[in-house]
Amino acid sequence: MSDKILQSIFEFTKKYQDPENNAPFDEKNPNIQIIEKNGNINISLSVSQQYFEEYKKLGDVFKESLSKIDGVISINIALTSEKKPNESNTQNSRFKINASNIIAIASGKGGVGKSTFAVNLAAAMTTLGKKVGILDADIYGPSVPRMMGISGRPEANDNKKLIPLENYGIKCMSIGFLVDVDTPTIWRGPMVMKALEQMFNGVEWGKLDYLIVDLPPGTGDAQITMAQNSKLSGSIIISTPQDVALIDARKGINMFKKVNVPIIGLVENMSYFICDNCKEKHFIFSTGGAKKEAEKFQIPFLGSLEINKELRIQSDEGRPACIDNPQGDIAKQYLEIAKKIF
Ligand code: ADP
């Protein structure tokens, strides 16, 4: 019965054109959602402000006409002005990509586990059903291909765009695919800009829910270029708990604030080590520092990750923990953090 009502409703609505995307209001149109329960119909129209009046009129027409359909008891029309995620990343930005969210992973210092986090966040999100790409922008030490178990060079398609290499269902593009990783890359602003632009506009990414960008450590040209040329949804800053790392993480927080990139949160990596023998937590690099820092800057604290030997081995062997052993302790910690980001 209810399928029949839904079918009759779409039979009617599809005669009308969506003012925003010019598509009919049928099942495939993302701007209309219909829920039917016992003849009570809730229609939600996602409205862009520009066409508000047109949507309002359409809503009135739908309400009036659909109430005459057999079996319909009540009709409720809601106009929601949700921003389409895609718009944010394709309009007014020089680096174009069809990704609903672009998340930059940053750190003040090298060696704190930034790339490991980027890869495992991508893997965790994939496990949770999202379509994810990872862009390794660490021009001074691209390590994502190795951690993803990917080697080789991407090929170009007929449109002269590079096809990202893929493993575990995650599309991957790295500066390491374009330059020899052993060549010291002493790049200045314009070269960094060109390389990053190539990795966005010159790559056939397809449609993604999340693009995870592994930035180089510090607050240099790559960070500024990304902030100014791509519509970053936000940044996540990785730090270890000790003061020397946190001092540099602070610089990263200040930089993102200055360039108006939202900070999704701070993650403390290598927070503690659980000894195989005594099973106690050992706080090798001190404890609680990143949480305090997050409170001080009023940014979310996303969680702590333990020092985990299996993770180090998995990373070296190109098997992200969340895919290799999703039930493992460290994978669970990454998954917890990933869930906070959706
Ligand atoms: P960064 O990107 O900050 O330079 P990496 O992600 O390359 O740091 O990590 C540096 C090293 O530390 C790598 O060998 C990685 O496997 C290891 N590592 C990172 N996080 C952890 C962790 N939580 N437990 C154990 N090893 C880790």
Side-chain angles (χ1 to χ4, degrees), residues 1 4-13 39 41 62-75:
M1 174 71 175
K4 217 172 142 212
I5 294 181
L6 272 183
Q7 217 180 336
S8 311
I9 291 175
F10 275 121
E11 277 306 314
F12 179 83
T13 57
I41 316 294
F62 288 176
K63 195 172 172 115
E64 153 104 66
S65 309
L66 296 175
S67 57
K68 293 175 193 148
I69 289 179
D70 241 352
V72 170
I73 293 166
S74 73
I75 299 251

mmCIF file with all atom_site columns, all heavy atoms in Angstrom, residues 1 4-13 39 41 62-75:
data_model
loop_
_atom_site.group_PDB
_atom_site.id
_atom_site.type_symbol
_atom_site.label_atom_id
_atom_site.label_alt_id
_atom_site.label_comp_id
_atom_site.label_asym_id
_atom_site.label_entity_id
_atom_site.label_seq_id
_atom_site.pdbx_PDB_ins_code
_atom_site.Cartn_x
_atom_site.Cartn_y
_atom_site.Cartn_z
_atom_site.occupancy
_atom_site.B_iso_or_equiv
_atom_site.pdbx_formal_charge
_atom_site.auth_seq_id
_atom_site.auth_comp_id
_atom_site.auth_asym_id
_atom_site.auth_atom_id
_atom_site.pdbx_PDB_model_num
ATOM 1   N N   . MET A 1 1  ? 0.834  -1.209 0.000   1.00 0.00 ? 1  MET A N   1
ATOM 2   C CA  . MET A 1 1  ? 0.000  0.000  0.000   1.00 0.00 ? 1  MET A CA  1
ATOM 3   C C   . MET A 1 1  ? 0.865  1.254  0.000   1.00 0.00 ? 1  MET A C   1
ATOM 4   O O   . MET A 1 1  ? 0.757  2.122  -0.850  1.00 0.00 ? 1  MET A O   1
ATOM 5   C CB  . MET A 1 1  ? -0.932 -0.018 1.228   1.00 0.00 ? 1  MET A CB  1
ATOM 6   C CG  . MET A 1 1  ? -1.752 1.257  1.403   1.00 0.00 ? 1  MET A CG  1
ATOM 7   S SD  . MET A 1 1  ? -3.027 1.387  0.127   1.00 0.00 ? 1  MET A SD  1
ATOM 8   C CE  . MET A 1 1  ? -3.889 2.839  0.638   1.00 0.00 ? 1  MET A CE  1
ATOM 9   N N   . LYS A 1 4  ? 2.758  2.060  -3.098  1.00 0.00 ? 4  LYS A N   1
ATOM 10  C CA  . LYS A 1 4  ? 1.862  2.573  -4.132  1.00 0.00 ? 4  LYS A CA  1
ATOM 11  C C   . LYS A 1 4  ? 1.640  4.080  -3.946  1.00 0.00 ? 4  LYS A C   1
ATOM 12  O O   . LYS A 1 4  ? 1.644  4.850  -4.901  1.00 0.00 ? 4  LYS A O   1
ATOM 13  C CB  . LYS A 1 4  ? 0.517  1.821  -4.060  1.00 0.00 ? 4  LYS A CB  1
ATOM 14  C CG  . LYS A 1 4  ? -0.050 1.577  -5.428  1.00 0.00 ? 4  LYS A CG  1
ATOM 15  C CD  . LYS A 1 4  ? -1.252 0.684  -5.390  1.00 0.00 ? 4  LYS A CD  1
ATOM 16  C CE  . LYS A 1 4  ? -2.248 1.194  -6.411  1.00 0.00 ? 4  LYS A CE  1
ATOM 17  N NZ  . LYS A 1 4  ? -3.603 0.950  -6.011  1.00 0.00 ? 4  LYS A NZ  1
ATOM 18  N N   . ILE A 1 5  ? 1.469  4.493  -2.677  1.00 0.00 ? 5  ILE A N   1
ATOM 19  C CA  . ILE A 1 5  ? 1.261  5.925  -2.403  1.00 0.00 ? 5  ILE A CA  1
ATOM 20  C C   . ILE A 1 5  ? 2.510  6.705  -2.823  1.00 0.00 ? 5  ILE A C   1
ATOM 21  O O   . ILE A 1 5  ? 2.421  7.719  -3.517  1.00 0.00 ? 5  ILE A O   1
ATOM 22  C CB  . ILE A 1 5  ? 0.966  6.173  -0.897  1.00 0.00 ? 5  ILE A CB  1
ATOM 23  C CG1 . ILE A 1 5  ? -0.364 5.539  -0.524  1.00 0.00 ? 5  ILE A CG1 1
ATOM 24  C CG2 . ILE A 1 5  ? 0.929  7.666  -0.597  1.00 0.00 ? 5  ILE A CG2 1
ATOM 25  C CD1 . ILE A 1 5  ? -0.764 5.734  0.926   1.00 0.00 ? 5  ILE A CD1 1
ATOM 26  N N   . LEU A 1 6  ? 3.680  6.203  -2.417  1.00 0.00 ? 6  LEU A N   1
ATOM 27  C CA  . LEU A 1 6  ? 4.934  6.886  -2.771  1.00 0.00 ? 6  LEU A CA  1
ATOM 28  C C   . LEU A 1 6  ? 5.072  7.022  -4.281  1.00 0.00 ? 6  LEU A C   1
ATOM 29  O O   . LEU A 1 6  ? 5.450  8.068  -4.805  1.00 0.00 ? 6  LEU A O   1
ATOM 30  C CB  . LEU A 1 6  ? 6.133  6.108  -2.224  1.00 0.00 ? 6  LEU A CB  1
ATOM 31  C CG  . LEU A 1 6  ? 6.587  6.449  -0.798  1.00 0.00 ? 6  LEU A CG  1
ATOM 32  C CD1 . LEU A 1 6  ? 7.816  5.662  -0.430  1.00 0.00 ? 6  LEU A CD1 1
ATOM 33  C CD2 . LEU A 1 6  ? 6.865  7.944  -0.656  1.00 0.00 ? 6  LEU A CD2 1
ATOM 34  N N   . GLN A 1 7  ? 4.749  5.927  -4.966  1.00 0.00 ? 7  GLN A N   1
ATOM 35  C CA  . GLN A 1 7  ? 4.832  5.925  -6.431  1.00 0.00 ? 7  GLN A CA  1
ATOM 36  C C   . GLN A 1 7  ? 3.915  7.001  -7.018  1.00 0.00 ? 7  GLN A C   1
ATOM 37  O O   . GLN A 1 7  ? 4.314  7.765  -7.889  1.00 0.00 ? 7  GLN A O   1
ATOM 38  C CB  . GLN A 1 7  ? 4.397  4.553  -6.923  1.00 0.00 ? 7  GLN A CB  1
ATOM 39  C CG  . GLN A 1 7  ? 5.180  4.062  -8.110  1.00 0.00 ? 7  GLN A CG  1
ATOM 40  C CD  . GLN A 1 7  ? 4.653  2.682  -8.508  1.00 0.00 ? 7  GLN A CD  1
ATOM 41  O OE1 . GLN A 1 7  ? 4.079  1.942  -7.700  1.00 0.00 ? 7  GLN A OE1 1
ATOM 42  N NE2 . GLN A 1 7  ? 4.831  2.336  -9.748  1.00 0.00 ? 7  GLN A NE2 1
ATOM 43  N N   . SER A 1 8  ? 2.692  7.079  -6.475  1.00 0.00 ? 8  SER A N   1
ATOM 44  C CA  . SER A 1 8  ? 1.734  8.070  -6.995  1.00 0.00 ? 8  SER A CA  1
ATOM 45  C C   . SER A 1 8  ? 2.238  9.486  -6.712  1.00 0.00 ? 8  SER A C   1
ATOM 46  O O   . SER A 1 8  ? 2.061  10.389 -7.536  1.00 0.00 ? 8  SER A O   1
ATOM 47  C CB  . SER A 1 8  ? 0.362  7.908  -6.329  1.00 0.00 ? 8  SER A CB  1
ATOM 48  O OG  . SER A 1 8  ? -0.036 6.589  -6.350  1.00 0.00 ? 8  SER A OG  1
ATOM 49  N N   . ILE A 1 9  ? 2.866  9.664  -5.553  1.00 0.00 ? 9  ILE A N   1
ATOM 50  C CA  . ILE A 1 9  ? 3.373  11.007 -5.212  1.00 0.00 ? 9  ILE A CA  1
ATOM 51  C C   . ILE A 1 9  ? 4.477  11.410 -6.186  1.00 0.00 ? 9  ILE A C   1
ATOM 52  O O   . ILE A 1 9  ? 4.460  12.504 -6.756  1.00 0.00 ? 9  ILE A O   1
ATOM 53  C CB  . ILE A 1 9  ? 3.893  11.035 -3.751  1.00 0.00 ? 9  ILE A CB  1
ATOM 54  C CG1 . ILE A 1 9  ? 2.703  10.888 -2.797  1.00 0.00 ? 9  ILE A CG1 1
ATOM 55  C CG2 . ILE A 1 9  ? 4.635  12.337 -3.455  1.00 0.00 ? 9  ILE A CG2 1
ATOM 56  C CD1 . ILE A 1 9  ? 3.086  10.776 -1.342  1.00 0.00 ? 9  ILE A CD1 1
ATOM 57  N N   . PHE A 1 10 ? 5.426  10.488 -6.408  1.00 0.00 ? 10 PHE A N   1
ATOM 58  C CA  . PHE A 1 10 ? 6.511  10.820 -7.332  1.00 0.00 ? 10 PHE A CA  1
ATOM 59  C C   . PHE A 1 10 ? 5.991  11.004 -8.764  1.00 0.00 ? 10 PHE A C   1
ATOM 60  O O   . PHE A 1 10 ? 6.517  11.819 -9.510  1.00 0.00 ? 10 PHE A O   1
ATOM 61  C CB  . PHE A 1 10 ? 7.614  9.755  -7.283  1.00 0.00 ? 10 PHE A CB  1
ATOM 62  C CG  . PHE A 1 10 ? 8.607  9.993  -6.169  1.00 0.00 ? 10 PHE A CG  1
ATOM 63  C CD1 . PHE A 1 10 ? 8.812  9.042  -5.172  1.00 0.00 ? 10 PHE A CD1 1
ATOM 64  C CD2 . PHE A 1 10 ? 9.354  11.177 -6.113  1.00 0.00 ? 10 PHE A CD2 1
ATOM 65  C CE1 . PHE A 1 10 ? 9.728  9.257  -4.149  1.00 0.00 ? 10 PHE A CE1 1
ATOM 66  C CE2 . PHE A 1 10 ? 10.288 11.393 -5.089  1.00 0.00 ? 10 PHE A CE2 1
ATOM 67  C CZ  . PHE A 1 10 ? 10.476 10.438 -4.105  1.00 0.00 ? 10 PHE A CZ  1
ATOM 68  N N   . GLU A 1 11 ? 4.950  10.236 -9.136  1.00 0.00 ? 11 GLU A N   1
ATOM 69  C CA  . GLU A 1 11 ? 4.333  10.416 -10.466 1.00 0.00 ? 11 GLU A CA  1
ATOM 70  C C   . GLU A 1 11 ? 3.934  11.875 -10.651 1.00 0.00 ? 11 GLU A C   1
ATOM 71  O O   . GLU A 1 11 ? 4.080  12.444 -11.724 1.00 0.00 ? 11 GLU A O   1
ATOM 72  C CB  . GLU A 1 11 ? 3.069  9.543  -10.605 1.00 0.00 ? 11 GLU A CB  1
ATOM 73  C CG  . GLU A 1 11 ? 3.299  8.103  -11.000 1.00 0.00 ? 11 GLU A CG  1
ATOM 74  C CD  . GLU A 1 11 ? 4.108  7.960  -12.268 1.00 0.00 ? 11 GLU A CD  1
ATOM 75  O OE1 . GLU A 1 11 ? 3.814  8.657  -13.245 1.00 0.00 ? 11 GLU A OE1 1
ATOM 76  O OE2 . GLU A 1 11 ? 5.069  7.150  -12.249 1.00 0.00 ? 11 GLU A OE2 1
ATOM 77  N N   . PHE A 1 12 ? 3.437  12.460 -9.557  1.00 0.00 ? 12 PHE A N   1
ATOM 78  C CA  . PHE A 1 12 ? 3.006  13.856 -9.630  1.00 0.00 ? 12 PHE A CA  1
ATOM 79  C C   . PHE A 1 12 ? 4.184  14.814 -9.553  1.00 0.00 ? 12 PHE A C   1
ATOM 80  O O   . PHE A 1 12 ? 4.356  15.696 -10.391 1.00 0.00 ? 12 PHE A O   1
ATOM 81  C CB  . PHE A 1 12 ? 2.005  14.154 -8.495  1.00 0.00 ? 12 PHE A CB  1
ATOM 82  C CG  . PHE A 1 12 ? 1.554  15.590 -8.507  1.00 0.00 ? 12 PHE A CG  1
ATOM 83  C CD1 . PHE A 1 12 ? 0.525  16.002 -9.359  1.00 0.00 ? 12 PHE A CD1 1
ATOM 84  C CD2 . PHE A 1 12 ? 2.172  16.536 -7.701  1.00 0.00 ? 12 PHE A CD2 1
ATOM 85  C CE1 . PHE A 1 12 ? 0.133  17.326 -9.399  1.00 0.00 ? 12 PHE A CE1 1
ATOM 86  C CE2 . PHE A 1 12 ? 1.775  17.871 -7.739  1.00 0.00 ? 12 PHE A CE2 1
ATOM 87  C CZ  . PHE A 1 12 ? 0.760  18.263 -8.583  1.00 0.00 ? 12 PHE A CZ  1
ATOM 88  N N   . THR A 1 13 ? 5.058  14.628 -8.530  1.00 0.00 ? 13 THR A N   1
ATOM 89  C CA  . THR A 1 13 ? 6.132  15.615 -8.305  1.00 0.00 ? 13 THR A CA  1
ATOM 90  C C   . THR A 1 13 ? 7.120  15.653 -9.471  1.00 0.00 ? 13 THR A C   1
ATOM 91  O O   . THR A 1 13 ? 7.693  16.697 -9.762  1.00 0.00 ? 13 THR A O   1
ATOM 92  C CB  . THR A 1 13 ? 6.907  15.328 -6.998  1.00 0.00 ? 13 THR A CB  1
ATOM 93  O OG1 . THR A 1 13 ? 7.426  14.005 -7.047  1.00 0.00 ? 13 THR A OG1 1
ATOM 94  C CG2 . THR A 1 13 ? 6.040  15.504 -5.780  1.00 0.00 ? 13 THR A CG2 1
ATOM 95  N N   . GLY A 1 39 ? -0.167 6.615  5.596   1.00 0.00 ? 39 GLY A N   1
ATOM 96  C CA  . GLY A 1 39 ? -0.892 7.642  4.848   1.00 0.00 ? 39 GLY A CA  1
ATOM 97  C C   . GLY A 1 39 ? -0.509 9.070  5.215   1.00 0.00 ? 39 GLY A C   1
ATOM 98  O O   . GLY A 1 39 ? -0.983 10.036 4.607   1.00 0.00 ? 39 GLY A O   1
ATOM 99  N N   . ILE A 1 41 ? 2.163  11.896 5.104   1.00 0.00 ? 41 ILE A N   1
ATOM 100 C CA  . ILE A 1 41 ? 3.316  12.126 4.228   1.00 0.00 ? 41 ILE A CA  1
ATOM 101 C C   . ILE A 1 41 ? 4.140  13.311 4.735   1.00 0.00 ? 41 ILE A C   1
ATOM 102 O O   . ILE A 1 41 ? 3.597  14.393 4.981   1.00 0.00 ? 41 ILE A O   1
ATOM 103 C CB  . ILE A 1 41 ? 2.835  12.476 2.784   1.00 0.00 ? 41 ILE A CB  1
ATOM 104 C CG1 . ILE A 1 41 ? 1.703  11.569 2.327   1.00 0.00 ? 41 ILE A CG1 1
ATOM 105 C CG2 . ILE A 1 41 ? 4.001  12.492 1.810   1.00 0.00 ? 41 ILE A CG2 1
ATOM 106 C CD1 . ILE A 1 41 ? 2.061  10.131 2.139   1.00 0.00 ? 41 ILE A CD1 1
ATOM 107 N N   . PHE A 1 62 ? 2.408  21.210 -4.253  1.00 0.00 ? 62 PHE A N   1
ATOM 108 C CA  . PHE A 1 62 ? 2.487  19.800 -3.848  1.00 0.00 ? 62 PHE A CA  1
ATOM 109 C C   . PHE A 1 62 ? 1.462  19.498 -2.754  1.00 0.00 ? 62 PHE A C   1
ATOM 110 O O   . PHE A 1 62 ? 0.755  18.500 -2.799  1.00 0.00 ? 62 PHE A O   1
ATOM 111 C CB  . PHE A 1 62 ? 3.898  19.451 -3.321  1.00 0.00 ? 62 PHE A CB  1
ATOM 112 C CG  . PHE A 1 62 ? 4.967  19.380 -4.389  1.00 0.00 ? 62 PHE A CG  1
ATOM 113 C CD1 . PHE A 1 62 ? 6.288  19.153 -4.057  1.00 0.00 ? 62 PHE A CD1 1
ATOM 114 C CD2 . PHE A 1 62 ? 4.647  19.548 -5.735  1.00 0.00 ? 62 PHE A CD2 1
ATOM 115 C CE1 . PHE A 1 62 ? 7.280  19.077 -5.041  1.00 0.00 ? 62 PHE A CE1 1
ATOM 116 C CE2 . PHE A 1 62 ? 5.622  19.485 -6.720  1.00 0.00 ? 62 PHE A CE2 1
ATOM 117 C CZ  . PHE A 1 62 ? 6.936  19.252 -6.372  1.00 0.00 ? 62 PHE A CZ  1
ATOM 118 N N   . LYS A 1 63 ? 1.383  20.404 -1.784  1.00 0.00 ? 63 LYS A N   1
ATOM 119 C CA  . LYS A 1 63 ? 0.485  20.165 -0.646  1.00 0.00 ? 63 LYS A CA  1
ATOM 120 C C   . LYS A 1 63 ? -0.961 20.043 -1.121  1.00 0.00 ? 63 LYS A C   1
ATOM 121 O O   . LYS A 1 63 ? -1.687 19.113 -0.766  1.00 0.00 ? 63 LYS A O   1
ATOM 122 C CB  . LYS A 1 63 ? 0.635  21.310 0.362   1.00 0.00 ? 63 LYS A CB  1
ATOM 123 C CG  . LYS A 1 63 ? 0.028  20.978 1.697   1.00 0.00 ? 63 LYS A CG  1
ATOM 124 C CD  . LYS A 1 63 ? 0.353  22.017 2.735   1.00 0.00 ? 63 LYS A CD  1
ATOM 125 C CE  . LYS A 1 63 ? -0.470 21.668 3.945   1.00 0.00 ? 63 LYS A CE  1
ATOM 126 N NZ  . LYS A 1 63 ? 0.220  21.296 5.093   1.00 0.00 ? 63 LYS A NZ  1
ATOM 127 N N   . GLU A 1 64 ? -1.315 21.018 -1.954  1.00 0.00 ? 64 GLU A N   1
ATOM 128 C CA  . GLU A 1 64 ? -2.704 21.070 -2.443  1.00 0.00 ? 64 GLU A CA  1
ATOM 129 C C   . GLU A 1 64 ? -3.056 19.821 -3.262  1.00 0.00 ? 64 GLU A C   1
ATOM 130 O O   . GLU A 1 64 ? -4.058 19.154 -3.013  1.00 0.00 ? 64 GLU A O   1
ATOM 131 C CB  . GLU A 1 64 ? -2.820 22.375 -3.272  1.00 0.00 ? 64 GLU A CB  1
ATOM 132 C CG  . GLU A 1 64 ? -3.856 22.374 -4.351  1.00 0.00 ? 64 GLU A CG  1
ATOM 133 C CD  . GLU A 1 64 ? -5.079 23.171 -3.954  1.00 0.00 ? 64 GLU A CD  1
ATOM 134 O OE1 . GLU A 1 64 ? -4.939 24.386 -3.805  1.00 0.00 ? 64 GLU A OE1 1
ATOM 135 O OE2 . GLU A 1 64 ? -6.165 22.542 -3.824  1.00 0.00 ? 64 GLU A OE2 1
ATOM 136 N N   . SER A 1 65 ? -2.181 19.498 -4.228  1.00 0.00 ? 65 SER A N   1
ATOM 137 C CA  . SER A 1 65 ? -2.538 18.419 -5.161  1.00 0.00 ? 65 SER A CA  1
ATOM 138 C C   . SER A 1 65 ? -2.357 17.031 -4.562  1.00 0.00 ? 65 SER A C   1
ATOM 139 O O   . SER A 1 65 ? -3.157 16.126 -4.828  1.00 0.00 ? 65 SER A O   1
ATOM 140 C CB  . SER A 1 65 ? -1.692 18.515 -6.431  1.00 0.00 ? 65 SER A CB  1
ATOM 141 O OG  . SER A 1 65 ? -1.769 19.817 -6.916  1.00 0.00 ? 65 SER A OG  1
ATOM 142 N N   . LEU A 1 66 ? -1.302 16.857 -3.774  1.00 0.00 ? 66 LEU A N   1
ATOM 143 C CA  . LEU A 1 66 ? -1.020 15.502 -3.280  1.00 0.00 ? 66 LEU A CA  1
ATOM 144 C C   . LEU A 1 66 ? -2.043 15.032 -2.243  1.00 0.00 ? 66 LEU A C   1
ATOM 145 O O   . LEU A 1 66 ? -2.248 13.840 -2.061  1.00 0.00 ? 66 LEU A O   1
ATOM 146 C CB  . LEU A 1 66 ? 0.398  15.437 -2.690  1.00 0.00 ? 66 LEU A CB  1
ATOM 147 C CG  . LEU A 1 66 ? 1.525  15.681 -3.702  1.00 0.00 ? 66 LEU A CG  1
ATOM 148 C CD1 . LEU A 1 66 ? 2.878  15.732 -3.023  1.00 0.00 ? 66 LEU A CD1 1
ATOM 149 C CD2 . LEU A 1 66 ? 1.528  14.590 -4.771  1.00 0.00 ? 66 LEU A CD2 1
ATOM 150 N N   . SER A 1 67 ? -2.698 15.991 -1.595  1.00 0.00 ? 67 SER A N   1
ATOM 151 C CA  . SER A 1 67 ? -3.677 15.591 -0.581  1.00 0.00 ? 67 SER A CA  1
ATOM 152 C C   . SER A 1 67 ? -4.872 14.880 -1.229  1.00 0.00 ? 67 SER A C   1
ATOM 153 O O   . SER A 1 67 ? -5.642 14.201 -0.554  1.00 0.00 ? 67 SER A O   1
ATOM 154 C CB  . SER A 1 67 ? -4.139 16.803 0.227   1.00 0.00 ? 67 SER A CB  1
ATOM 155 O OG  . SER A 1 67 ? -4.665 17.750 -0.657  1.00 0.00 ? 67 SER A OG  1
ATOM 156 N N   . LYS A 1 68 ? -4.988 15.030 -2.573  1.00 0.00 ? 68 LYS A N   1
ATOM 157 C CA  . LYS A 1 68 ? -6.118 14.387 -3.265  1.00 0.00 ? 68 LYS A CA  1
ATOM 158 C C   . LYS A 1 68 ? -5.821 12.932 -3.636  1.00 0.00 ? 68 LYS A C   1
ATOM 159 O O   . LYS A 1 68 ? -6.698 12.207 -4.109  1.00 0.00 ? 68 LYS A O   1
ATOM 160 C CB  . LYS A 1 68 ? -6.467 15.177 -4.540  1.00 0.00 ? 68 LYS A CB  1
ATOM 161 C CG  . LYS A 1 68 ? -7.027 16.554 -4.209  1.00 0.00 ? 68 LYS A CG  1
ATOM 162 C CD  . LYS A 1 68 ? -7.265 17.367 -5.450  1.00 0.00 ? 68 LYS A CD  1
ATOM 163 C CE  . LYS A 1 68 ? -7.515 18.824 -5.087  1.00 0.00 ? 68 LYS A CE  1
ATOM 164 N NZ  . LYS A 1 68 ? -7.044 19.749 -6.102  1.00 0.00 ? 68 LYS A NZ  1
ATOM 165 N N   . ILE A 1 69 ? -4.567 12.532 -3.460  1.00 0.00 ? 69 ILE A N   1
ATOM 166 C CA  . ILE A 1 69 ? -4.211 11.150 -3.840  1.00 0.00 ? 69 ILE A CA  1
ATOM 167 C C   . ILE A 1 69 ? -4.870 10.159 -2.887  1.00 0.00 ? 69 ILE A C   1
ATOM 168 O O   . ILE A 1 69 ? -4.886 10.375 -1.661  1.00 0.00 ? 69 ILE A O   1
ATOM 169 C CB  . ILE A 1 69 ? -2.666 10.980 -3.838  1.00 0.00 ? 69 ILE A CB  1
ATOM 170 C CG1 . ILE A 1 69 ? -2.083 11.738 -5.027  1.00 0.00 ? 69 ILE A CG1 1
ATOM 171 C CG2 . ILE A 1 69 ? -2.251 9.514  -3.873  1.00 0.00 ? 69 ILE A CG2 1
ATOM 172 C CD1 . ILE A 1 69 ? -0.589 11.686 -5.139  1.00 0.00 ? 69 ILE A CD1 1
ATOM 173 N N   . ASP A 1 70 ? -5.358 9.087  -3.463  1.00 0.00 ? 70 ASP A N   1
ATOM 174 C CA  . ASP A 1 70 ? -6.018 8.029  -2.688  1.00 0.00 ? 70 ASP A CA  1
ATOM 175 C C   . ASP A 1 70 ? -5.114 7.509  -1.578  1.00 0.00 ? 70 ASP A C   1
ATOM 176 O O   . ASP A 1 70 ? -3.967 7.156  -1.839  1.00 0.00 ? 70 ASP A O   1
ATOM 177 C CB  . ASP A 1 70 ? -6.345 6.860  -3.642  1.00 0.00 ? 70 ASP A CB  1
ATOM 178 C CG  . ASP A 1 70 ? -7.837 6.634  -3.691  1.00 0.00 ? 70 ASP A CG  1
ATOM 179 O OD1 . ASP A 1 70 ? -8.562 7.287  -2.880  1.00 0.00 ? 70 ASP A OD1 1
ATOM 180 O OD2 . ASP A 1 70 ? -8.259 5.817  -4.493  1.00 0.00 ? 70 ASP A OD2 1
ATOM 181 N N   . GLY A 1 71 ? -5.575 7.448  -0.389  1.00 0.00 ? 71 GLY A N   1
ATOM 182 C CA  . GLY A 1 71 ? -4.791 6.863  0.705   1.00 0.00 ? 71 GLY A CA  1
ATOM 183 C C   . GLY A 1 71 ? -4.003 7.892  1.491   1.00 0.00 ? 71 GLY A C   1
ATOM 184 O O   . GLY A 1 71 ? -3.472 7.600  2.556   1.00 0.00 ? 71 GLY A O   1
ATOM 185 N N   . VAL A 1 72 ? -3.908 9.127  0.954   1.00 0.00 ? 72 VAL A N   1
ATOM 186 C CA  . VAL A 1 72 ? -3.146 10.163 1.664   1.00 0.00 ? 72 VAL A CA  1
ATOM 187 C C   . VAL A 1 72 ? -4.023 10.783 2.745   1.00 0.00 ? 72 VAL A C   1
ATOM 188 O O   . VAL A 1 72 ? -5.131 11.260 2.475   1.00 0.00 ? 72 VAL A O   1
ATOM 189 C CB  . VAL A 1 72 ? -2.636 11.246 0.687   1.00 0.00 ? 72 VAL A CB  1
ATOM 190 C CG1 . VAL A 1 72 ? -2.064 12.435 1.448   1.00 0.00 ? 72 VAL A CG1 1
ATOM 191 C CG2 . VAL A 1 72 ? -1.586 10.660 -0.238  1.00 0.00 ? 72 VAL A CG2 1
ATOM 192 N N   . ILE A 1 73 ? -3.549 10.764 3.980   1.00 0.00 ? 73 ILE A N   1
ATOM 193 C CA  . ILE A 1 73 ? -4.331 11.321 5.087   1.00 0.00 ? 73 ILE A CA  1
ATOM 194 C C   . ILE A 1 73 ? -3.869 12.748 5.409   1.00 0.00 ? 73 ILE A C   1
ATOM 195 O O   . ILE A 1 73 ? -4.666 13.663 5.532   1.00 0.00 ? 73 ILE A O   1
ATOM 196 C CB  . ILE A 1 73 ? -4.216 10.406 6.336   1.00 0.00 ? 73 ILE A CB  1
ATOM 197 C CG1 . ILE A 1 73 ? -4.914 9.073  6.031   1.00 0.00 ? 73 ILE A CG1 1
ATOM 198 C CG2 . ILE A 1 73 ? -4.838 11.067 7.571   1.00 0.00 ? 73 ILE A CG2 1
ATOM 199 C CD1 . ILE A 1 73 ? -4.607 7.977  7.007   1.00 0.00 ? 73 ILE A CD1 1
ATOM 200 N N   . SER A 1 74 ? -2.537 12.925 5.512   1.00 0.00 ? 74 SER A N   1
ATOM 201 C CA  . SER A 1 74 ? -2.046 14.284 5.778   1.00 0.00 ? 74 SER A CA  1
ATOM 202 C C   . SER A 1 74 ? -0.756 14.518 5.009   1.00 0.00 ? 74 SER A C   1
ATOM 203 O O   . SER A 1 74 ? -0.035 13.580 4.668   1.00 0.00 ? 74 SER A O   1
ATOM 204 C CB  . SER A 1 74 ? -1.781 14.461 7.278   1.00 0.00 ? 74 SER A CB  1
ATOM 205 O OG  . SER A 1 74 ? -0.607 13.745 7.620   1.00 0.00 ? 74 SER A OG  1
ATOM 206 N N   . ILE A 1 75 ? -0.505 15.817 4.729   1.00 0.00 ? 75 ILE A N   1
ATOM 207 C CA  . ILE A 1 75 ? 0.731  16.164 4.011   1.00 0.00 ? 75 ILE A CA  1
ATOM 208 C C   . ILE A 1 75 ? 1.442  17.254 4.794   1.00 0.00 ? 75 ILE A C   1
ATOM 209 O O   . ILE A 1 75 ? 0.836  18.272 5.158   1.00 0.00 ? 75 ILE A O   1
ATOM 210 C CB  . ILE A 1 75 ? 0.420  16.743 2.610   1.00 0.00 ? 75 ILE A CB  1
ATOM 211 C CG1 . ILE A 1 75 ? -0.317 15.750 1.744   1.00 0.00 ? 75 ILE A CG1 1
ATOM 212 C CG2 . ILE A 1 75 ? 1.687  17.264 1.946   1.00 0.00 ? 75 ILE A CG2 1
ATOM 213 C CD1 . ILE A 1 75 ? 0.486  15.171 0.624   1.00 0.00 ? 75 ILE A CD1 1
#
